[in-house]
Amino acid sequence: MSKFSILCATVLMAFAGSASAALTPVTPSWYTSTTLYDGNKQQQTFTTNSDNAATYGIANQTGAVLVDFSFSFTGTPKNNAYLGLWFGNWNGPNFGMKANCGGDVSGCKDDLFLRLSLGNEVYVGDSALAANTTYHVTALLYKKDGSIGTGSSYDSFKMWVNPTAEELATLTGADAQASGNISLTNFSDIGFRTANIGNGVGFNVQNVTVSAVPEPASLALFGLAAAGLGVARRRKKA
């Protein structure tokens, strides 16, 4: 094995080794994120409306953050039945369920959405949900320029529905994404907002996990190592 191959392999092993010891089950094995809140043993049921149905305090965040949870619902939600996980406050970036495109689009049956700001929802196509079925949703909130300081605002948002292990590991293949300028530069709270539920409709939420995403340089290093191994293999075969 060449020196370059050994270096690449060492880098990959370092990523996997440093991550596997302290990560939650929903986090890829190589993922070098720091878990901020692990709610895997928590389960909550919401049957009433509240802008702050649940609130979780976390360490102050100024960089990219990945949030992951599973949910199901009972009953037959009416238009705009809402379960949204928010960043910073209930009026900040949200993702989750907003039934039938909020009732704003005639004939629309899509239920899953994300938004950076109120009134700017982006819906996941073909996301008509069924009662008593568990859905796994993940979202990444970040700053496009890679900044991790309070001098710049969050401006990019991606969402995955029932993501594969590969999608979580590479943060590719998002089912919906939004971009735009908002005033949020940092936050130390996340929470759930519920609206337009009741009359037999309720939401069950579990496995809430929040992780700080590695800085871009770390991800680039991982990609370089993976690419290097591929080059080394091709050279050996040649």
Side-chain angles (χ1 to χ4, degrees):
M1 181 181 289
S2 69
K3 291 182 179 179
F4 186 66
S5 300
I6 293 174
L7 173 61
C8 293
T10 301
V11 171
L12 287 174
M13 290 173 66
F15 264 80
S18 63
S20 60
L23 295 177
T24 65
V26 297
T27 310
S29 60
W30 66 266
Y31 206 4
T32 58
S33 61
T34 301
T35 298
L36 307 172
Y37 172 84
D38 176 10
N40 279 316
K41 295 182 179 179
Q42 298 236 358
Q43 181 170 301
Q44 293 178 289
T45 299
F46 304 121
T47 57
T48 58
N49 301 315
S50 174
D51 290 338
N52 300 290
T55 302
Y56 311 101
I58 59 175
N60 187 54
Q61 295 302 299
T62 60
V65 174
L66 189 76
V67 178
D68 191 282
F69 70 93
S70 297
F71 78 97
S72 61
F73 63 88
T74 57
T76 304
K78 60 183 179 181
N79 285 352
N80 209 28
Y82 190 99
L83 172 74
L85 188 146
W86 50 255
F87 297 73
N89 60 66
W90 72 268
N91 205 25
N94 274 233
F95 77 103
M97 177 175 172
K98 186 177 171 76
N100 301 325
C101 293
D104 297 327
V105 181
S106 178
C108 180
K109 300 298 181 183
D110 295 332
D111 294 323
L112 294 175
F113 82 101
L114 80 166
R115 71 182 185 206
L116 278 168
S117 58
L118 188 66
N120 293 300
E121 289 80 8
V122 175
Y123 291 92
V124 176
D126 299 320
S127 64
L129 306 185
N132 303 307
T133 301
T134 299
Y135 299 93
H136 174 198
V137 291
T138 302
L140 175 68
L141 180 67
Y142 63 105
K143 300 172 181 179
K144 191 177 299 182
D145 64 2
S147 170
I148 57 172
T150 57
S152 60
S153 301
Y154 287 96
D155 59 6
S156 301
F157 208 10
K158 291 183 178 181
M159 178 179 179
W160 292 260
V161 181
N162 297 325
T164 65
E166 180 180 359
E167 287 173 335
L168 283 177
T170 59
L171 297 180
T172 58
D175 295 294
Q177 52 189 330
S179 61
N181 295 319
I182 59 175
S183 60
L184 187 68
T185 61
N186 64 290
F187 61 94
S188 57
D189 292 296
I190 64 167
F192 282 99
R193 179 186 185 224
T194 55
N196 303 309
I197 62 174
N199 298 319
V201 175
F203 289 104
N204 181 274
V205 173
Q206 56 189 333
N207 299 339
V208 178
T209 303
V210 187
S211 297
V213 176
E215 58 183 300
S218 297
L219 292 176
L221 181 60
F222 176 83
L224 175 62
L229 282 178
V231 170
R233 290 194 186 101
R234 286 195 295 272
R235 285 177 178 173
K236 186 175 181 180
K237 289 181 180 179

